[in-house]
Protein backbone atom coordinates (compact mmCIF):
# COMPACT_ATOMS: atom_id res chain seq x y z
CA UNK A 1 0.00 0.00 0.00
CA UNK A 2 2.70 2.50 0.99
CA UNK A 3 4.57 1.83 -2.25
CA UNK A 4 1.56 3.04 -4.25
CA UNK A 5 1.24 6.18 -2.11
CA UNK A 6 4.95 6.82 -2.58
CA UNK A 7 4.54 6.56 -6.36
CA UNK A 8 1.72 9.11 -6.21
CA UNK A 9 3.86 11.56 -4.26
CA UNK A 10 6.79 10.93 -6.58
CA UNK A 11 4.59 11.78 -9.56
CA UNK A 12 3.51 15.03 -7.95
CA UNK A 13 -0.01 13.87 -7.11
CA UNK A 14 -1.71 15.04 -3.92
CA UNK A 15 -2.33 12.09 -1.65
CA UNK A 16 -5.85 11.83 -0.24
CA UNK A 17 -7.08 11.53 3.33
CA UNK A 18 -7.48 7.76 2.89
CA UNK A 19 -3.79 7.58 1.91
CA UNK A 20 -2.96 9.65 4.97
CA UNK A 21 -4.72 7.17 7.24
CA UNK A 22 -2.72 4.34 5.65
CA UNK A 23 0.53 6.20 6.27
CA UNK A 24 -0.38 6.86 9.88
CA UNK A 25 -1.00 3.14 10.42
CA UNK A 26 2.14 1.97 8.58
CA UNK A 27 5.22 0.63 10.30
CA UNK A 28 7.31 3.62 11.36
CA UNK A 29 10.50 2.32 9.78
CA UNK A 30 8.75 1.76 6.43
CA UNK A 31 7.07 5.17 6.54
CA UNK A 32 10.28 7.05 7.32
CA UNK A 33 12.23 5.10 4.73
CA UNK A 34 9.90 6.22 1.94
CA UNK A 35 9.81 9.77 3.33
CA UNK A 36 13.60 9.95 3.19
CA UNK A 37 13.55 8.68 -0.39
CA UNK A 38 11.18 11.50 -1.32
CA UNK A 39 13.31 14.07 0.51
CA UNK A 40 16.51 12.92 -1.17
CA UNK A 41 14.82 12.92 -4.58
CA UNK A 42 13.29 16.40 -4.33
CA UNK A 43 15.42 18.48 -1.95
CA UNK A 44 18.65 16.52 -1.61
CA UNK A 45 20.54 15.27 1.41
CA UNK A 46 22.00 18.51 2.71
CA UNK A 47 20.65 19.94 5.99
CA UNK A 48 19.41 23.53 5.73
CA UNK A 49 20.09 25.68 8.79
CA UNK A 50 18.51 28.79 10.25
CA UNK A 51 18.66 30.72 13.51
CA UNK A 52 16.69 33.56 15.05
CA UNK A 53 17.03 36.58 17.29
CA UNK A 54 14.19 37.63 19.58
CA UNK A 55 14.15 41.32 18.65
CA UNK A 56 10.99 42.34 20.53
CA UNK A 57 9.51 40.15 23.24
CA UNK A 58 6.18 39.91 25.05
CA UNK A 59 3.09 42.10 25.32
CA UNK A 60 1.57 40.46 22.22
CA UNK A 61 -2.05 41.46 21.67
CA UNK A 62 -3.00 38.00 20.33
CA UNK A 63 -4.37 35.18 22.49
CA UNK A 64 -2.76 32.12 20.87
CA UNK A 65 -3.19 29.49 23.58
CA UNK A 66 0.32 28.05 23.26
CA UNK A 67 2.30 31.30 23.22
CA UNK A 68 4.44 32.50 26.14
CA UNK A 69 4.50 36.04 24.74
CA UNK A 70 0.76 36.66 24.77
CA UNK A 71 -0.29 39.56 27.01
CA UNK A 72 -3.43 37.55 27.83
CA UNK A 73 -1.52 35.10 30.04
CA UNK A 74 0.71 35.34 33.09
CA UNK A 75 3.95 33.69 31.97
CA UNK A 76 7.54 34.33 32.94
CA UNK A 77 8.57 35.10 29.38
CA UNK A 78 10.93 38.08 28.96
CA UNK A 79 9.39 41.41 27.97
CA UNK A 80 11.43 44.07 26.20
CA UNK A 81 11.07 46.62 23.38
CA UNK A 82 12.84 46.34 20.03
CA UNK A 83 16.53 45.73 20.71
CA UNK A 84 19.45 47.78 19.40
CA UNK A 85 20.68 47.11 15.89
CA UNK A 86 24.13 46.36 17.31
CA UNK A 87 22.71 43.39 19.27
CA UNK A 88 21.13 41.96 16.14
CA UNK A 89 24.39 42.39 14.24
CA UNK A 90 26.40 40.62 16.97
CA UNK A 91 23.98 37.69 17.02
CA UNK A 92 24.05 37.43 13.23
CA UNK A 93 27.85 37.47 13.11
CA UNK A 94 28.03 34.70 15.69
CA UNK A 95 25.75 32.30 13.80
CA UNK A 96 27.51 33.08 10.52
CA UNK A 97 30.85 32.13 12.07
CA UNK A 98 29.32 28.78 13.07
CA UNK A 99 28.19 28.11 9.50
CA UNK A 100 24.46 28.87 9.77
CA UNK A 101 22.88 29.93 6.47
CA UNK A 102 19.78 31.94 7.42
CA UNK A 103 19.09 34.43 10.20
CA UNK A 104 15.62 35.67 11.12
CA UNK A 105 14.58 38.80 13.00
CA UNK A 106 11.56 37.90 15.13
CA UNK A 107 9.23 40.43 16.75
CA UNK A 108 6.12 39.75 18.85
CA UNK A 109 2.79 41.29 17.96
CA UNK A 110 0.25 41.17 15.15
CA UNK A 111 2.04 43.91 13.19
CA UNK A 112 4.98 46.27 13.86
CA UNK A 113 4.51 49.99 14.51
CA UNK A 114 5.97 52.43 11.95
CA UNK A 115 8.98 53.01 14.22
CA UNK A 116 9.54 49.27 14.69
CA UNK A 117 9.19 48.67 10.97
CA UNK A 118 12.00 51.14 10.22
CA UNK A 119 14.22 49.26 12.67
CA UNK A 120 13.29 45.96 11.02
CA UNK A 121 14.28 47.35 7.62
CA UNK A 122 17.64 48.49 8.99
CA UNK A 123 18.20 45.09 10.60
CA UNK A 124 17.42 43.28 7.34
CA UNK A 125 20.01 45.41 5.54
CA UNK A 126 22.65 44.67 8.17
CA UNK A 127 22.03 40.91 8.18
CA UNK A 128 22.00 40.76 4.39
CA UNK A 129 25.26 42.74 4.18
CA UNK A 130 26.92 40.07 6.36
CA UNK A 131 26.25 37.49 3.66
CA UNK A 132 23.45 35.71 5.51
CA UNK A 133 19.98 35.02 4.15
CA UNK A 134 17.98 37.70 5.98
CA UNK A 135 14.52 36.60 7.12
CA UNK A 136 11.81 38.18 9.27
CA UNK A 137 8.95 36.93 11.41
CA UNK A 138 7.19 40.11 12.42
CA UNK A 139 3.47 39.47 12.11
CA UNK A 140 1.10 40.39 9.31
CA UNK A 141 2.59 42.80 6.76
CA UNK A 142 1.02 44.67 3.87
CA UNK A 143 2.19 44.22 0.29
CA UNK A 144 3.82 47.66 0.39
CA UNK A 145 5.81 46.88 3.53
CA UNK A 146 6.88 43.54 2.11
CA UNK A 147 8.19 45.23 -1.02
CA UNK A 148 10.16 47.68 1.14
CA UNK A 149 11.76 44.80 3.03
CA UNK A 150 12.56 43.01 -0.22
CA UNK A 151 14.35 46.13 -1.44
CA UNK A 152 16.27 46.22 1.85
CA UNK A 153 17.57 42.68 1.24
CA UNK A 154 14.88 40.40 2.66
CA UNK A 155 15.33 36.77 1.57
CA UNK A 156 12.29 35.16 3.21
CA UNK A 157 9.13 36.10 5.09
CA UNK A 158 8.11 33.78 7.90
CA UNK A 159 4.47 33.66 8.95
CA UNK A 160 2.86 30.52 10.33
CA UNK A 161 -0.77 29.54 9.86
CA UNK A 162 -0.29 27.34 12.98
CA UNK A 163 -3.07 24.84 12.25
CA UNK A 164 -6.01 24.12 9.97
CA UNK A 165 -8.74 26.65 9.28
CA UNK A 166 -11.15 24.24 10.99
CA UNK A 167 -9.18 24.12 14.25
CA UNK A 168 -7.90 27.72 14.34
CA UNK A 169 -10.82 29.14 16.40
CA UNK A 170 -9.76 26.77 19.20
CA UNK A 171 -6.33 28.36 19.47
CA UNK A 172 -6.83 32.04 18.64
CA UNK A 173 -9.79 34.43 18.78
CA UNK A 174 -8.12 37.85 18.38
CA UNK A 175 -7.59 37.74 14.62
CA UNK A 176 -8.98 35.73 11.74
CA UNK A 177 -7.40 32.88 9.83
CA UNK A 178 -7.85 34.86 6.63
CA UNK A 179 -5.57 37.62 7.97
CA UNK A 180 -2.75 35.08 8.22
CA UNK A 181 -3.50 33.51 4.85
CA UNK A 182 -3.64 36.92 3.17
CA UNK A 183 -0.29 37.92 4.67
CA UNK A 184 1.26 34.81 3.10
CA UNK A 185 -0.41 35.50 -0.24
CA UNK A 186 0.84 39.11 -0.26
CA UNK A 187 4.42 38.00 0.35
CA UNK A 188 4.21 35.51 -2.49
CA UNK A 189 2.71 38.24 -4.71
CA UNK A 190 5.68 40.44 -3.86
CA UNK A 191 8.01 37.72 -5.13
CA UNK A 192 9.37 36.87 -1.68
CA UNK A 193 10.13 33.33 -0.54
CA UNK A 194 7.72 32.32 2.22
CA UNK A 195 8.38 30.11 5.23
CA UNK A 196 4.98 29.03 6.57
CA UNK A 197 3.93 26.07 8.68
CA UNK A 198 2.38 25.23 12.00
CA UNK A 199 2.57 23.85 15.50
CA UNK A 200 1.58 20.31 16.45
CA UNK A 201 0.45 18.76 19.70
CA UNK A 202 -2.04 21.53 20.56
CA UNK A 203 -5.10 19.26 20.38
CA UNK A 204 -5.47 19.07 16.61
CA UNK A 205 -6.52 15.87 14.82
CA UNK A 206 -4.76 14.07 11.97
CA UNK A 207 -7.43 15.53 9.70
CA UNK A 208 -6.39 19.02 10.84
CA UNK A 209 -2.77 18.19 10.09
CA UNK A 210 -3.72 16.99 6.63
CA UNK A 211 -5.87 20.07 5.98
CA UNK A 212 -3.02 22.43 6.88
CA UNK A 213 -0.54 20.58 4.69
CA UNK A 214 -2.89 20.70 1.71
CA UNK A 215 -3.39 24.45 2.13
CA UNK A 216 0.36 25.04 2.34
CA UNK A 217 0.74 23.04 -0.86
CA UNK A 218 -1.99 25.04 -2.60
CA UNK A 219 -0.51 28.37 -1.48
CA UNK A 220 2.87 27.39 -2.88
CA UNK A 221 5.03 28.26 0.12
CA UNK A 222 8.62 27.14 -0.39
CA UNK A 223 9.60 26.34 3.19
CA UNK A 224 7.51 24.70 5.92
CA UNK A 225 8.54 25.02 9.58
CA UNK A 226 7.28 22.21 11.79
CA UNK A 227 6.95 23.15 15.45
CA UNK A 228 5.92 20.96 18.39
CA UNK A 229 4.18 22.18 21.51
CA UNK A 230 6.48 22.80 24.46
CA UNK A 231 3.87 23.61 27.14
CA UNK A 232 4.56 26.92 28.88
CA UNK A 233 3.43 27.58 32.44
CA UNK A 234 0.75 30.26 32.55
CA UNK A 235 -0.69 29.50 29.12
CA UNK A 236 -3.90 27.48 28.58
CA UNK A 237 -1.72 24.59 27.34
CA UNK A 238 0.20 24.36 30.61
CA UNK A 239 0.44 20.74 31.71
CA UNK A 240 -0.29 19.32 28.26
CA UNK A 241 1.72 16.21 27.42
CA UNK A 242 4.28 16.71 24.67
CA UNK A 243 3.93 14.53 21.61
CA UNK A 244 5.66 11.13 21.68
CA UNK A 245 8.73 10.93 19.44
CA UNK A 246 7.08 8.41 17.14
CA UNK A 247 4.03 10.60 16.51
CA UNK A 248 6.27 13.59 15.81
CA UNK A 249 8.25 11.55 13.30
CA UNK A 250 5.03 10.42 11.62
CA UNK A 251 3.96 14.06 11.25
CA UNK A 252 7.27 14.93 9.57
CA UNK A 253 7.02 11.95 7.24
CA UNK A 254 3.39 12.71 6.38
CA UNK A 255 4.31 16.27 5.47
CA UNK A 256 7.09 14.96 3.24
CA UNK A 257 4.52 12.87 1.34
CA UNK A 258 2.15 15.82 0.91
CA UNK A 259 4.90 18.40 0.33
CA UNK A 260 7.67 16.35 -1.29
CA UNK A 261 9.53 19.27 -2.88
CA UNK A 262 9.41 21.74 0.02
CA UNK A 263 12.04 22.41 2.65
CA UNK A 264 10.68 20.98 5.91
CA UNK A 265 12.37 22.81 8.80
CA UNK A 266 12.10 21.43 12.32
CA UNK A 267 11.87 24.37 14.69
CA UNK A 268 10.30 25.01 18.10
CA UNK A 269 9.72 22.18 20.54
CA UNK A 270 12.34 19.88 19.05
CA UNK A 271 14.14 19.55 22.39
CA UNK A 272 10.92 18.87 24.28
CA UNK A 273 9.86 16.01 21.99
CA UNK A 274 13.22 14.50 21.04
CA UNK A 275 15.20 13.95 24.21
CA UNK A 276 18.34 12.82 22.37
CA UNK A 277 19.69 13.19 18.83
CA UNK A 278 16.75 15.32 17.76
CA UNK A 279 18.36 16.63 14.59
CA UNK A 280 19.30 13.12 13.44
CA UNK A 281 15.85 11.65 14.18
CA UNK A 282 13.99 14.42 12.36
CA UNK A 283 16.31 14.05 9.38
CA UNK A 284 15.60 10.31 9.36
CA UNK A 285 11.88 11.12 9.23
CA UNK A 286 12.24 13.20 6.07
CA UNK A 287 13.09 16.68 7.33
CA UNK A 288 15.47 18.81 5.30
CA UNK A 289 16.33 21.58 7.75
CA UNK A 290 16.61 22.54 11.41
CA UNK A 291 16.49 25.73 13.40
CA UNK A 292 19.60 25.85 15.55
CA UNK A 293 20.34 27.73 18.75
CA UNK A 294 17.77 29.16 21.17
CA UNK A 295 14.08 29.65 20.47
CA UNK A 296 12.11 32.77 21.36
CA UNK A 297 11.65 32.20 25.08
CA UNK A 298 13.13 28.72 25.56
CA UNK A 299 16.72 27.55 25.35
CA UNK A 300 17.50 25.26 22.43
CA UNK A 301 20.26 22.82 21.62
CA UNK A 302 23.79 24.16 21.63
CA UNK A 303 24.47 25.29 18.06
CA UNK A 304 27.82 23.50 17.98
CA UNK A 305 26.08 20.15 18.63
CA UNK A 306 23.72 20.62 15.71
CA UNK A 307 26.50 21.84 13.44
CA UNK A 308 28.58 18.76 14.29
CA UNK A 309 25.71 16.57 13.08
CA UNK A 310 25.32 18.68 9.96
CA UNK A 311 29.04 18.59 9.18
CA UNK A 312 28.86 14.82 9.52
CA UNK A 313 26.05 14.70 6.97
CA UNK A 314 28.07 16.79 4.56
CA UNK A 315 31.18 14.76 5.26
Amino acid sequence: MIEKIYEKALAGELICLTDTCALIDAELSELTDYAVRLRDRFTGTSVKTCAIVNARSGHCSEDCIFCAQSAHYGTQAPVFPFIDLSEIERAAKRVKELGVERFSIVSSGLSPTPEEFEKIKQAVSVVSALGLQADVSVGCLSYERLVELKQAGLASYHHNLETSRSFFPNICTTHSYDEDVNAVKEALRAGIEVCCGGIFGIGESWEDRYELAVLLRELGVQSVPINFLNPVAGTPKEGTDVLPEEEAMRIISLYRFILPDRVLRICGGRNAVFKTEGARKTFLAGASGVMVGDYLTVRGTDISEDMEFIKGKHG
Side-chain angles (χ1 to χ4, degrees):
M1 178 66 174
I2 195 168
E3 175 75 29
K4 291 181 179 179
I5 302 172
Y6 168 76
E7 292 295 339
K8 282 186 184 179
L10 199 61
E13 296 179 35
L14 173 62
I15 68 170
C16 63
L17 192 55
T18 300
D19 293 333
T20 295
C21 293
L23 294 176
I24 294 166
D25 292 336
E27 287 292 329
L28 181 63
S29 59
E30 185 180 22
L31 173 63
T32 57
D33 177 65
Y34 278 104
V36 167
R37 289 195 213 177
L38 285 169
R39 190 266 322 284
D40 292 353
R41 176 70 175 269
F42 285 99
T43 67
T45 60
S46 64
V47 184
K48 316 297 189 293
T49 55
C50 59
I52 64 171
V53 61
N54 190 359
R56 177 191 182 278
S57 185
H59 284 321
C60 182
S61 60
E62 306 313 288
D63 66 353
C64 303
I65 62 173
F66 52 83
C67 186
Q69 298 196 70
S70 173
H72 294 258
Y73 315 124
T75 70
Q76 299 301 310
V79 177
F80 50 81
F82 207 91
I83 62 178
D84 291 338
L85 191 62
S86 59
E87 292 183 59
I88 295 175
E89 185 174 19
R90 278 197 298 272
K93 284 180 176 178
R94 177 173 177 265
V95 299
K96 184 187 178 185
E97 289 170 358
L98 292 167
V100 179
E101 302 160 331
R102 314 188 72 97
F103 186 73
S104 183
I105 300 138
V106 183
S107 175
S108 64
L110 185 60
S111 184
T113 65
E115 181 182 1
E116 289 168 347
F117 182 70
E118 289 304 313
K119 292 179 179 178
I120 292 166
K121 274 203 302 184
Q122 294 172 17
V124 166
S125 295
V126 167
V127 172
S128 179
L130 291 173
L132 287 162
Q133 296 288 310
D135 305 335
V136 297
S137 180
V138 293
C140 294
L141 296 178
S142 66
Y143 175 80
E144 291 74 20
R145 280 185 160 188
L146 288 159
V147 170
E148 285 189 56
L149 290 179
K150 183 180 179 182
Q151 292 170 344
L154 183 68
S156 178
Y157 171 63
H158 170 269
H159 191 75
N160 282 338
L161 298 182
E162 307 301 5
T163 189
S164 69
R165 181 184 293 275
S166 304
F167 194 69
F168 188 77
N170 295 290
I171 69 163
C172 181
T173 65
T174 46
H175 70 271
S176 72
Y177 198 72
D178 282 331
E179 288 179 77
D180 290 327
V181 172
N182 288 338
V184 170
K185 287 181 176 178
E186 291 294 75
L188 291 167
R189 184 165 74 92
I192 298 169
E193 180 180 312
V194 174
C195 186
C196 176
I199 182 168
F200 302 92
I202 53 174
E204 80 287 349
S205 66
W206 279 105
E207 288 79 5
D208 291 313
R209 295 165 182 173
Y210 175 79
E211 183 184 326
L212 174 61
V214 171
L215 177 56
L216 295 172
R217 178 184 172 117
E218 291 173 350
L219 287 170
V221 301
Q222 298 92 339
S223 175
V224 178
I226 293 177
N227 301 277
F228 302 109
L229 177 69
N230 186 0
V232 175
T235 67
K237 299 308 291 182
E238 177 182 357
T240 302
D241 291 336
V242 299
L243 287 177
E245 282 191 4
E246 179 174 327
E247 185 171 355
M249 292 181 76
R250 288 183 183 278
I251 291 169
I252 298 167
S253 293
L254 172 64
Y255 269 56
R256 177 55 64 196
F257 271 84
I258 300 172
L259 301 158
D261 59 345
R262 315 301 164 88
V263 175
L264 300 185
R265 299 181 186 275
I266 311 305
C267 299
R270 172 162 60 101
N271 294 357
V273 172
F274 298 96
K275 305 305 181 186
T276 60
E277 299 186 290
R280 185 185 69 84
K281 289 173 182 174
T282 60
F283 192 76
L284 290 175
S288 43
V290 291
M291 190 173 88
V292 299
D294 293 335
Y295 306 118
L296 287 174
T297 62
V298 178
R299 290 194 63 81
T301 303
D302 186 273
I303 292 181
S304 59
E305 291 182 28
D306 282 332
M307 296 312 290
E308 279 300 312
F309 162 74
I310 292 162
K311 287 175 184 175
K313 289 299 301 178
H314 287 293

